[in-house]
């Protein structure tokens, strides 16, 4: 995540969303990413004036969208210096460990962060979000997941792309939320990540050819292998993309699922 922002800007596009787009009723990557952000907002049932904590806010794209389109007050948390610099230029982002946060929020969202937490920290992650969330609040967790329980990750991905990453299994997530949260909704649209990754690959190659960013041939080959191999894994339905909506005490009258 500390790679030059120019490369990511060309690969990801104006939304700067480094996570799966939602391709329902979308023809382009930018439309899919806006769909994803709006889907998250609708699932969180955002109302003007609410306080929202964005754990792992990245370059601040979702935080900005929530603030501008729904009128909420967003606190974004990231540990990446490059992402922080970009986010601050665009009015979002806070360099802080989520575990040191204080106060309570109406809503919490975490997109593409849980894959980096690690199995040993699942409990503290969930307990921390519960501490930071108002009893009437909602927490949306957006994460890549593995259908099988594993203790590690692909060695190549771990070495070159996402050090110390680990994909949670359904049982690991369920164990971590047991006794803390009511699971209101569990949505899998992993097949959409295939399209997202292929769009990133196309933009990366076009940007490289145009000279929009500088990288060595070695890095170019690394990203080509990474993007295409991950697209294949999602296409084969070997790994998944989950959006899980949690509430501390259960939504009174029941939660209205959004798609």
């Amino acid at each position: 995540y500390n790679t030059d922002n120019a490369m990511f800007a060309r690969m990801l596009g104006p939304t700067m969303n480094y996570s799966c787009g939602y391709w329902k009723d979308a023809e382009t990557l930018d439309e899919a990413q806006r769909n994803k952000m709006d889907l998250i907002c609708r699932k969180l049932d955002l109302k003007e004036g609410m306080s929202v904590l964005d754990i792992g806010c990245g370059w601040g794209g979702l935080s900005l969208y929530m603030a501008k389109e729904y009128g909420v007050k967003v606190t974004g948390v990231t540990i990446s210096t490059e992402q922080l610099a970009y986010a601050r230029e665009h009015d979002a982002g806070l360099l802080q460990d989520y575990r040191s946060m204080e106060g309570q929020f109406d809503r919490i969202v975490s997109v593409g962060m849980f894959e980096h937490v690690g199995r040993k920290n699942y409990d503290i992650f969930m307990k921390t979000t519960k501490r930071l969330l108002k009893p009437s609040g909602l927490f949306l967790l957006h994460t890549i997941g593995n259908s099988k329980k594993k203790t590690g990750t692909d060695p190549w991905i771990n070495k070159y792309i996402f050090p110390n990453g680990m994909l949670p299994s359904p049982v690991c997530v369920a164990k971590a939320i047991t006794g803390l949260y009511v699971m209101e909704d569990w949505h899998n649209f992993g097949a959409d990540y295939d399209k997202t990754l292929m769009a990133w690959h196309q933009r990366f190659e076009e940007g490289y050819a145009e000279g929009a960013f500088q990288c060595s041939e070695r890095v170019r080959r690394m990203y080509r292998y990474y993007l295409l191999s991950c697209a294949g894994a999602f296409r084969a339905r070997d790994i998944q993309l989950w959006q899980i909506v949690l509430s501390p005490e259960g939504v009174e009258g029941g939660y209205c699922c959004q798609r």
Side-chain angles (χ1 to χ4, degrees), residues 43-196:
K43 285 183 175 182
L44 286 171
D45 192 24
L46 294 184
K47 299 290 190 296
E48 186 174 355
M50 281 184 171
S51 59
V52 181
L53 174 61
D54 184 355
I55 301 177
C57 68
W59 291 276
L62 175 61
S63 295
L64 285 170
Y65 186 89
M66 291 188 293
K68 290 181 177 180
E69 300 297 328
Y70 284 82
V72 297
K73 181 181 179 181
V74 185
T75 299
V77 180
T78 180
I79 60 171
S80 167
T81 54
E82 289 295 323
Q83 289 181 336
L84 173 68
Y86 182 95
R88 279 181 170 165
E89 287 178 9
H90 296 77
D91 302 321
L94 175 67
L95 187 61
Q96 187 172 346
D97 190 317
Y98 71 93
R99 291 168 293 189
S100 66
M101 295 291 296
E102 298 294 338
Q104 285 195 313
F105 297 83
D106 296 301
R107 299 290 189 264
I108 297 178
V109 61
S110 182
V111 178
M113 159 74 172
F114 199 60
E115 299 93 328
H116 306 283
V117 168
R119 178 172 53 87
K120 294 181 179 180
N121 296 312
Y122 291 162
D123 286 345
I124 188 65
F125 180 87
M126 291 299 178
K127 288 176 181 177
T128 300
T129 59
K130 176 72 176 293
R131 173 176 60 83
L132 294 170
L133 188 62
K134 294 180 180 179
S136 60
L138 291 173
F139 169 35
L140 186 144
L141 179 67
H142 174 118
T143 181
I144 299 171
N146 201 317
S147 299
K148 301 176 182 178
K149 186 177 180 180
K150 295 185 178 180
T151 57
T153 188
D154 177 81
W156 189 91
I157 294 289
N158 181 68
K159 182 175 181 179
Y160 294 108
I161 307 298
F162 299 123
N164 302 315
M166 179 180 291
L167 301 185
S169 68
V171 68
C172 288
V173 176
K175 182 180 179 181
I177 67 175
T178 298
L180 294 175
Y181 284 112
V182 174
M183 197 277 289
E184 301 285 2
D185 186 31
W186 193 312
H187 182 192
N188 181 2
F189 55 96
D192 285 23
Y193 228 141
D194 173 17
K195 293 182 179 180
T196 303

Side-chain angles (χ1 to χ4, degrees), residues 35-48:
N35 283 355
K36 185 267 301 295
M37 291 189 290
D38 199 67
L39 179 67
I40 289 172
C41 294
R42 290 187 287 113
K43 285 183 175 182
L44 286 171
D45 192 24
L46 294 184
K47 299 290 190 296
E48 186 174 355

Side-chain angles (χ1 to χ4, degrees), residues 193-195 197-198 225-236:
Y193 228 141
D194 173 17
K195 293 182 179 180
L197 284 153
M198 294 305 295
Y225 177 78
Y226 147 58
L227 294 170
L228 295 182
S229 63
C230 287
F234 281 105
R235 189 175 303 182

